[in-house]
Amino acid sequence: IERTLVLIKPDGVARNLSGSILARIESKGYVLAELKKVNATRDLLEQHYEEHVGKPFYEPLVEFMLSGPVVAAIFEGHRVIEGFRSLAGTTDPTTAAPGTIRGDFGRDWGLAVQQNLVHGSDSADSAEREIKIWFGE
Ligand code: ATP
């Protein structure tokens, strides 16, 4: 069965939106397989965001992800990877479609990083890689 890694980023946790966000994913029909609240480390984030190392937003992104706890979850279901990305909406929360998590709960706060509430794996390979990083084998 397909799996994806979902992160509720520090903005979502700090704004007490974890329950609302998880409820939307469950209501869509995906199954929660694992769930935990974690304080990420720089080392873990460097692995998670390895494709972005060196980009201008990389350091602000890591600082943001270290600014508070995140909620990490594994959701399961047929086509859950694309299904969750569709639920999440596009990267920029200002223009993410209403009805999506980012579109309904997020906006641009004028900061160096897009505080956009959630992360979801973008392919089956990334999902397996990211699940290992956050949950181990
Ligand atoms: P995610 O991978 O987090 O689900 P995504 O695929 O839409 O979102 P990526 O391009 O993988 O976004 O970038 C990872 C994260 O880095 C984004 O979710 C956002 O928080 C931040 N980010 C991406 N591009 C920018 C940018 N141009 N300026 C500021 N922050 C950015």
Side-chain angles (χ1 to χ4, degrees):
I1 196 124
E2 189 171 292
R3 304 192 296 170
T4 195
L5 179 83
V6 170
L7 298 178
I8 302 175
K9 297 182 178 184
D11 55 336
V13 176
R15 292 175 57 207
N16 297 316
L17 292 170
S18 302
S20 304
I21 292 170
L22 294 170
R24 285 182 174 221
I25 309 168
E26 286 195 306
S27 300
K28 176 89 172 170
Y30 299 119
V31 175
L32 180 61
E34 299 281 349
L35 181 67
K36 64 180 179 183
K37 190 173 179 182
V38 246
N39 292 297
T41 61
R42 192 170 279 276
D43 178 65
L44 187 153
L45 293 167
E46 189 169 324
Q47 293 177 54
H48 178 78
Y49 284 124
E50 67 176 11
E51 69 184 296
H52 296 308
V53 174
K55 291 184 187 170
F57 63 84
Y58 176 73
E59 192 53 36
L61 175 60
V62 169
E63 290 301 325
F64 163 54
M65 293 296 288
L66 290 171
S67 69
V70 309
V71 167
I74 301 174
F75 276 92
E76 294 179 344
H78 185 60
R79 298 178 67 196
V80 65
I81 294 171
E82 63 179 319
F84 174 74
R85 289 184 69 84
S86 172
L87 270 185
T90 52
T91 306
D92 179 355
T94 296
T95 52
T100 66
I101 293 165
R102 288 165 171 168
D104 285 352
F105 297 143
R107 69 157 166 110
D108 192 341
W109 303 89
L111 305 170
V113 73
Q114 276 158 346
Q115 300 202 345
N116 57 6
L117 297 160
V118 290
H119 163 83
S121 310
D122 64 7
S123 69
D125 285 350
S126 323
E128 290 313 311
R129 191 181 72 84
E130 293 171 2
I131 285 169
K132 269 188 201 132
I133 292 169
W134 291 86
F135 285 94
E137 293 305 317

